[in-house]
């Protein structure tokens, strides 16, 4: 939790005194009240400093772009110039106003590793149409943070398991988080089945962190525009190439108790011959062929001629 301090006028980078501004961040707009740790902390205003609607202090910290929006506010004071108490400061942390005015998609990072988080900030800082509006290294606090910030896209760092990440997606997009946000998992989908599970949980895709910077930017831009993306494309689910006796409970011909004549009839059936053609080939009456075929189908457990012919093919009887 950010420490509570009392200032009359904060010092800027390298000791420069910053002018006070009557910005609307002192109003009651969402995401900018005291205790908003996602905005780099908030501070109580000094009553001796007079009625100041909001103060913006720049923090010289390249690894935390949102630290430049610390608030020294009297939340009970509505902002002059805005009847609704919203914010006109133009900083992406302020929910109402900047998104529509700037056209920027707001990105929030949930990543335990501070170096990784800083790297993502650096990559996304070069992207047109994107702005990083907050981050947290503690996934347990991410839901409350995104609820305050209301980002368009959340990048969710890899957890201990896919199940843990999917549970985090559900929580982030739940009523206590940011239901309208789109979530990208920072991991690889190992199969199309995993990709389906991500989509069902409410994620909009995933990508691993070893992608080139321009591909990461492209993925975030695509999702911010309403799409879904999986990079690299997950391999299809593995299927077994051979399916012979994978027909459960199916006996092979040598164990089915077929007579020699029943086996011959089954071979001819597998070759596509009719009963009359089988009779001519084997010098049998058509009724006799039918009798042998009926007995053979009963022994191999196939209910009709088509399935019996397929059985013959599966077991190599058709040549």
């Amino acid at each position: 939790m950010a420490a509570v301090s009392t200032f009359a006028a904060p010092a800027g980078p390298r000791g420069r005194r910053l002018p006070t501004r009557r910005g609307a961040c002192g109003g009651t707009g969402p995401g900018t009240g005291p205790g908003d740790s996602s905005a780099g902390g908030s501070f109580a205003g000094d009553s001796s400093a007079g009625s100041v609607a909001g103060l913006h202090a720049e923090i010289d910290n390249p690894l935390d772009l949102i630290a430049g929006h610390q608030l020294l506010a009297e939340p009970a004071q509505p902002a002059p110039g805005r009847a609704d108490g919203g914010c006109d400061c133009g900083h992406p942390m302020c929910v109402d106003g900047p998104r529509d005015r700037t056209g920027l998609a707001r990105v929030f990072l949930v990543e335990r590793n501070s170096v990784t988080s800083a790297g993502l900030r650096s990559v996304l800082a070069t992207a047109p149409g994107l702005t990083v509006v907050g981050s947290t290294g503690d996934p347990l606090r991410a839901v409350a943070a995104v609820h305050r910030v209301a980002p368009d896209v959340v990048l969710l760092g890899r957890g201990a398991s896919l199940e843990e990440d999917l549970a985090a997606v559900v929580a982030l997009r739940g009523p206590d988080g940011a239901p309208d946000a789109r979530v990208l998992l920072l991991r690889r989908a190992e199969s199309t089945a995993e990709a389906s599970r991500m989509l069902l949980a409410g994620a909009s895709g995933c990508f691993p962190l070893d992608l080139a910077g321009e591909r990461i930017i492209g993925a975030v831009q695509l999702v911010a525009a309403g799409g879904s993306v999986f990079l690299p494309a997950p391999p299809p689910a593995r299927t077994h190439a051979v399916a012979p006796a994978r027909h459960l409970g199916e006996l092979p011909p040598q164990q089915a108790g077929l007579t020699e004549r029943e086996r011959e009839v089954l071979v001819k059936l597998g070759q596509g011959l009719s009963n009359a053609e089988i009779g001519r080939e084997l010098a049998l009456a058509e009724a006799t062929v039918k009798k042998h075929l009926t007995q053979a189908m009963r022994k191999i457990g196939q209910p009709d001629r088509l399935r019996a012919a397929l059985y013959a093919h599966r077991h190599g009887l058709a040549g």
Side-chain angles (χ1 to χ4, degrees):
M1 178 179 293
V4 176
S5 304
T6 304
F7 296 120
R14 300 173 184 84
R16 175 169 56 86
R17 302 291 288 186
L18 295 176
T20 63
R21 278 196 290 170
R22 294 186 176 271
C25 288
T28 56
T32 56
D36 186 354
S37 60
S38 65
S42 61
F43 301 84
D46 184 352
S47 58
S48 65
S51 174
V52 179
L55 294 175
H56 295 234
E58 297 177 12
I59 305 300
D60 192 13
N61 181 355
L63 298 186
D64 189 359
L65 303 184
I66 62 170
H69 199 63
Q70 303 223 20
L71 304 180
L72 307 177
E74 294 176 359
Q77 300 272 343
R82 280 287 297 275
D84 60 358
C87 182
D88 282 322
C89 73
H91 192 281
M93 275 298 301
C94 291
V95 176
D96 51 338
R99 183 172 358 187
D100 296 332
R101 289 194 307 125
T102 65
L104 295 177
R106 300 150 50 79
V107 183
F108 190 92
L109 310 178
V110 182
E111 173 55 57
R112 293 177 176 87
N113 188 301
S114 59
V115 175
T116 301
S117 183
L120 281 169
R121 283 182 178 277
S122 176
V123 168
L124 296 176
T126 66
L130 300 177
T131 182
V132 178
V133 295
S135 66
T136 180
D138 183 358
L140 298 178
R141 305 173 80 176
V143 173
V146 300
H147 184 72
R148 289 190 297 269
V149 177
D152 299 299
V153 180
V154 178
L155 301 187
L156 177 61
R158 181 168 185 155
S161 66
L162 177 60
E163 286 69 26
E164 179 181 314
D165 289 351
L166 297 183
V169 171
V170 173
L172 287 167
R173 300 196 70 235
D176 295 330
D180 296 328
R182 303 179 68 82
V183 181
L184 270 171
L185 299 174
L186 302 182
R187 64 184 300 143
R188 187 186 306 265
E190 300 297 339
S191 67
T192 50
E194 281 195 4
S196 296
R197 291 181 64 193
M198 293 177 187
L199 291 172
L200 288 172
S204 294
C206 67
F207 62 82
L209 288 169
D210 57 3
L211 291 182
E214 59 270 17
R215 298 192 74 194
I216 290 177
I217 290 172
V220 177
Q221 288 173 328
L222 179 60
V223 167
S228 298
V229 61
F230 291 88
L231 294 175
R238 288 188 180 141
T239 56
H240 300 291
V242 202
R246 290 166 172 86
H247 290 256
L248 288 104
E250 185 174 275
L251 289 174
Q254 59 270 26
Q255 296 178 16
L258 296 171
T259 65
E260 185 62 31
R261 188 61 87 182
E262 288 166 353
R263 185 184 180 93
E264 289 174 346
V265 169
L266 201 55
V267 168
K268 298 299 180 181
L269 178 69
Q271 293 173 351
L273 276 62
S274 67
N275 285 355
E277 291 169 333
I278 293 173
R280 286 195 293 272
E281 289 269 339
L282 300 179
L284 296 172
E286 189 172 342
T288 305
V289 171
K290 185 174 181 181
K291 181 186 75 171
H292 287 312
L293 185 55
T294 300
Q295 291 292 344
M297 289 192 299
R298 180 182 61 79
K299 291 179 180 179
I300 63 177
Q302 304 303 320
D304 53 49
R305 292 174 59 88
L306 175 60
R307 288 181 176 83
L310 292 173
Y311 173 94
H313 278 277
R314 283 197 298 273
H315 294 278
L317 297 179

